[in-house]
Amino acid sequence: MTDRYTTPNEGTLDWHVPLNENFEQLDRDVEHRDEEANIDQYEPVAGGKFFATDSGAIYSGDGSAWTLVGYATRAVGGDIGHYVNYVDGLTDEPVNDFLFGENEALEVTRLAFPIKGVPNDEAVADAALRVYAGETLLVEIEGNSFRTGADDDSAPWVAESGPVTVTVTNDSGAPIAGVPKVWANIRS
């Protein structure tokens, strides 16, 4: 075997002890692969990994539970562009659409709307970045300040059908230069 595992020499007493240690190490080194619904059939060994073959979800074991770490499926988003000047008086001006397949869902994991000349932790009143799933508001922020989520105030925000539209609103009373940023995963 490799340097990672112990191979007992021929004739070693208690040869089973190092082999059992190898099996414990294998539980951490080899990921479990199965459908996400079957995760409870696998022990969440500390340092272990579970890969959901149907959704692309990746979980890490801590010895007592599985914790979702992310997805290995298509990722979309990030900066939708560079600083763009948005005139005053815009209301839900579409700036991007996410399209995805019939058996897929879009999961928004993070979004930001930094505005030139404004510190990242501050918001400009009445300047917002919104993400809609059809007509339903999925999530909304002002600058980098969270404003509201559809069903939950924490990521991810999931749209089961598309299109998903990103919009900018500027009712601040002056033009602004901002960068709409949306990070999302498309998963089956």
Side-chain angles (χ1 to χ4, degrees), residues 41-104:
Q41 295 178 11
Y42 300 91
E43 183 181 347
V45 174
K49 179 181 173 186
F50 179 88
F51 177 73
T53 56
D54 55 342
S55 69
I58 299 171
Y59 291 86
S60 176
D62 66 5
S64 60
W66 291 108
T67 302
L68 179 65
V69 223
Y71 290 89
T73 56
R74 292 185 291 159
V76 295
D79 291 5
I80 293 173
H82 302 287
Y83 280 105
V84 174
N85 288 320
Y86 295 102
V87 298
D88 182 43
L90 293 178
T91 302
D92 286 329
E93 181 70 24
V95 294
N96 194 42
D97 285 321
F98 292 110
L99 304 174
F100 47 96
E102 192 174 307
N103 295 321
E104 296 177 319

Side-chain angles (χ1 to χ4, degrees), residues 1 3-8 12-30 45:
M1 293 191 153
D3 293 337
R4 184 180 295 188
Y5 304 104
T6 306
T7 304
T12 301
L13 295 176
D14 295 328
W15 55 268
H16 62 286
V17 174
L19 290 182
N20 287 340
E21 290 170 358
N22 288 344
F23 287 116
E24 289 174 17
Q25 183 68 30
L26 283 170
D27 281 340
R28 287 185 294 276
D29 292 345
V30 177
V45 174

Side-chain angles (χ1 to χ4, degrees), residues 95-144:
V95 294
N96 194 42
D97 285 321
F98 292 110
L99 304 174
F100 47 96
E102 192 174 307
N103 295 321
E104 296 177 319
L106 181 92
E107 180 178 78
V108 176
T109 57
R110 183 174 164 225
L111 62 163
F113 190 38
I115 297 170
K116 196 175 219 171
V118 178
N120 283 341
D121 59 347
E122 291 183 22
V124 172
D126 299 319
L129 179 67
R130 295 184 181 110
V131 180
Y132 288 94
E135 300 292 318
T136 304
L137 178 65
L138 199 58
V139 62
E140 174 182 15
I141 62 166
E142 286 182 343
N144 285 327

